[in-house]
Amino acid sequence: MIRNMLFHISVVLLIIGCGKYEDSIENPSPNNILVEVEAPQTNGWSTEEIAGTRSGITKTVKQKGEYDLNMKVSTLYYPAGYATDEAATRWANMEDNITFRVIAYKSATATEISTANYAGYGDYKLLGSSVQTTKSLILPMGTYTFIVYSYGNSSAITTFTNSSTSVPVTNGQNFMTYVKAGVVINNTGSKYTLSNIVFKHHCARYRVQAIAQAERMGIITACTGTVTLPKHNATYSFTNNALTAQSGSGTINITWSSPNAMSVYSNYTYLLPQTSASVTIKLNLTIGNKPFSNRSTTLSGVTLNANNTYYNNVSFTTTEGYIIGGNIWANGNLYYTAETKKYGIYPNTLTCSKANNAPDYFVFNNPLPNNPELITTWSDSRDPCRKVEPNSTWRTPTLQEFNNLLSYAKGVPKDGYTIYGDVLKLPYSSFMRFTDGHPHEPYFDAIGYYLCTTYNRHLQNEFIGGEDSSTGEIIAFVIRCVRNK
């Protein structure tokens, strides 16, 4: 079970409000009053993002034909007893271009709201510190209850038909309201200003942090996702200022804006309140220039309370290789055991025998080490990497994949190895020349030569090298396999 919460306790703020009407503003009656609105605020979200960590659990996501990544989802929360005072200092300005609506009812209290005493509505858009009227509200003298609501975006709000005293809400909408009852308007022929609007949040704010494994993976450069919850739609009632979510699952998108780091936060989305819910997170992301699709996990027992902030830290880890430059590179170099006639991959990334008649040096497209047979046209059936069990899991990298690696991260020489993007370490290897005794060439021990599927070309530390000066000689190199599936 995974439950990832970050939240704070909030109290409803009630501030002064005013009203509207839908008479035409061109020729208002002298007994009617134009309702104007000051820029509203909200009662604010928590500004802290991490207050503590509960234990997470690790799930291995296995999908046929795809590389397995471990997904660990951590639970972050505020410690027990944490709370903030609901004071004016917690009020926050709304984002620019947010639209909101004011509906007026001829009633002294919200419980008296009905379709019969509906008086009109006006629509507004926040522009900096001012408010633009997109539909005017004009009211006669009287006592009113005002319902003010917004979906937290710049889109025009669907026309209100007064066929009910409620409005629909769905996941993904930052739905918020303000209610002011018993407002007496009697300044005939003048204007009335609705001020001190402080919106109450009815949904929970939520986002995901995707984290790539340090020293195993390159940065995350693309990420999209979805979250599926058992309650996707709700109804907000004007009469009791309550949002009621209905059963019926639905999916909402999670987005990232230009991710380019080992750890990237999604944009906030907004989720309806839920209790003990089963929530599924599904992510598509690019790590180290390698895309991964439909990485999902289901969290049980998730509770989302209104006006609180929650998020999941989703960490991706692996023990099977290094993800960089668009490929998954094996943990270590390829080797062959003559006694068992089996192929394997060294568990240590820096292992390299550098010995005469070595079991980890291979001639181009030759399945056996220490074999001087030379075939210059590549054949997958002779690829030694494909013979590592389970067969065809790995393969010899192509020249293009070496170029992709160097484009992604230039090789940096270190003590005994070259490192690419602080992720992939390829040990210096030199090569083995097929003369008497198949000797290792220690003169070139400061260079890592790595075989690819193009004859006469190899990775050589920070660039692609060739054997042009040694044409006609048979030379063996080490191989760092890449994941085939």
Side-chain angles (χ1 to χ4, degrees):
M1 182 182 86
I2 312 170
R3 185 164 98 188
N4 185 340
M5 317 191 289
L6 174 66
F7 65 92
H8 68 272
I9 309 300
S10 297
V11 178
V12 176
L13 283 178
L14 295 179
I15 312 294
I16 301 172
C18 293
K20 297 185 171 189
Y21 183 59
E22 43 182 18
D23 284 353
S24 171
I25 191 172
E26 284 87 4
N27 297 296
S29 164
N31 294 323
N32 288 343
I33 300 159
L34 175 65
V35 177
E36 295 185 335
V37 183
E38 285 187 356
Q41 295 178 301
T42 73
N43 62 357
W45 301 99
S46 168
T47 56
E48 291 191 58
E49 298 257 335
I50 300 176
T53 303
R54 289 181 181 173
S55 60
I57 68 172
T58 300
K59 288 190 174 183
T60 302
V61 181
K62 294 185 177 181
Q63 296 174 337
K64 185 177 180 181
E66 291 194 21
Y67 182 69
D68 297 335
L69 288 180
N70 295 327
M71 293 176 66
K72 180 178 180 181
V73 184
S74 302
T75 301
L76 301 176
Y77 72 112
Y78 279 111
Y82 176 84
T84 57
D85 293 331
E86 285 292 343
T89 54
R90 289 215 55 244
W91 297 357
N93 291 333
M94 291 176 62
E95 295 180 10
D96 203 11
N97 291 320
I98 297 299
T99 60
F100 61 97
R101 171 168 291 166
V102 179
I103 302 179
Y105 288 89
K106 297 175 183 177
S107 64
T109 65
T111 57
E112 298 172 357
I113 288 175
S114 67
T115 57
N117 58 28
Y118 165 75
Y121 77 90
D123 283 338
Y124 305 88
K125 176 174 286 191
L126 182 63
L127 296 174
S129 59
S130 63
V131 174
Q132 173 186 322
T133 301
T134 57
K135 182 184 183 304
S136 298
L137 174 61
I138 301 173
L139 298 173
M141 291 187 298
T143 300
Y144 294 90
T145 292
F146 294 99
I147 304 296
V148 188
Y149 68 90
S150 173
Y151 290 99
N153 57 45
S154 61
S155 301
I157 302 175
T158 302
T159 301
F160 187 72
T161 64
N162 195 35
S163 60
S164 69
T165 57
S166 63
V167 291
V169 184
T170 189
N171 280 319
Q173 295 174 333
N174 180 17
F175 186 73
M176 45 193 170
T177 66
Y178 173 74
V179 178
K180 185 63 177 178
V183 177
V184 178
I185 298 180
N186 56 16
N187 49 339
T188 305
S190 183
K191 297 179 180 178
Y192 183 89
T193 300
L194 181 60
S195 60
N196 295 327
I197 297 173
V198 180
F199 278 113
K200 167 190 173 182
H201 293 291
H202 285 275
C203 295
R205 186 170 67 163
Y206 172 80
R207 67 176 175 174
V208 171
Q209 182 186 20
I211 305 169
Q213 184 180 5
E215 299 181 353
R216 277 277 182 178
M217 302 176 183
I219 63 175
I220 299 172
T221 54
C223 201
T224 60
T226 60
V227 57
T228 301
L229 302 100
K231 294 181 179 180
H232 186 65
N233 298 295
T235 299
Y236 171 72
S237 171
F238 296 166
T239 57
N240 59 9
N241 190 27
L243 182 69
T244 303
Q246 295 110 36
S247 297
S249 65
T251 297
I252 188 70
N253 291 331
I254 311 168
T255 61
W256 278 254
S257 297
S258 303
N260 189 36
M262 296 294 293
S263 174
V264 293
Y265 280 103
S266 73
N267 302 315
Y268 282 112
T269 191
Y270 302 91
L271 304 179
L272 297 174
Q274 328 248 331
T275 301
S276 299
S278 180
V279 178
T280 298
I281 301 169
K282 182 180 290 185
L283 299 181
N284 300 309
L285 68 166
T286 298
I287 304 177
N289 224 31
K290 170 72 176 175
F292 295 93
S293 61
N294 297 326
R295 303 294 150 171
S296 64
T297 188
T298 298
L299 319 178
S300 300
V302 173
T303 294
L304 302 172
N305 294 317
N307 201 32
N308 291 338
T309 299
Y310 300 81
Y311 68 102
N312 291 109
N313 281 355
V314 183
S315 299
F316 294 91
T317 62
T318 183
T319 58
E320 298 186 43
Y322 300 87
I323 304 173
I324 186 171
N327 279 104
I328 302 161
W329 302 81
N331 280 328
N333 290 345
L334 177 71
Y335 70 90
Y336 176 76
T337 302
E339 293 78 9
T340 61
K341 297 183 179 179
K342 289 187 178 295
Y343 296 80
I345 290 171
Y346 288 132
N348 189 321
T349 192
L350 294 180
T351 300
C352 186
S353 66
K354 296 182 182 179
N356 296 345
N357 297 297
D360 52 352
Y361 284 74
F362 294 81
V363 174
F364 180 83
N365 205 203
N366 200 307
L368 295 173
N370 295 304
N371 188 341
E373 179 188 13
L374 180 61
I375 298 175
T376 59
T377 300
W378 185 265
S379 170
D380 285 344
S381 64
R382 294 174 59 84
D383 185 348
C385 285
R386 292 178 182 270
K387 301 182 184 302
V388 176
E389 295 181 351
N391 290 346
S392 293
T393 299
W394 300 93
R395 57 178 173 77
T396 298
T398 66
L399 178 60
Q400 184 60 53
E401 286 167 334
F402 279 160
N403 281 317
N404 292 344
L405 174 64
L406 294 176
S407 295
Y408 184 89
K410 181 181 178 182
V412 178
K414 297 288 186 179
D415 186 14
Y417 62 91
T418 303
I419 189 168
Y420 302 85
D422 295 324
V423 175
L424 180 63
K425 297 178 181 178
L426 298 183
Y428 296 152
S429 59
S430 184
F431 54 85
M432 188 176 70
R433 195 188 306 271
F434 274 83
T435 57
D436 292 339
H438 302 171
H440 170 73
E441 298 286 352
Y443 181 78
F444 298 97
D445 275 353
I447 300 175
Y449 294 93
Y450 284 81
L451 197 66
C452 71
T453 60
T454 297
Y455 178 64
N456 230 24
R457 291 293 180 266
H458 49 262
L459 180 64
Q460 186 175 321
N461 292 10
E462 307 104 299
F463 59 92
I464 304 298
E467 306 164 30
D468 297 336
S469 61
S470 302
T471 301
E473 289 190 276
I474 298 177
I475 298 177
F477 301 92
V478 295
I479 304 177
R480 181 61 65 97
C481 304
V482 294
R483 187 86 177 191
N484 191 41
K485 63 180 181 178

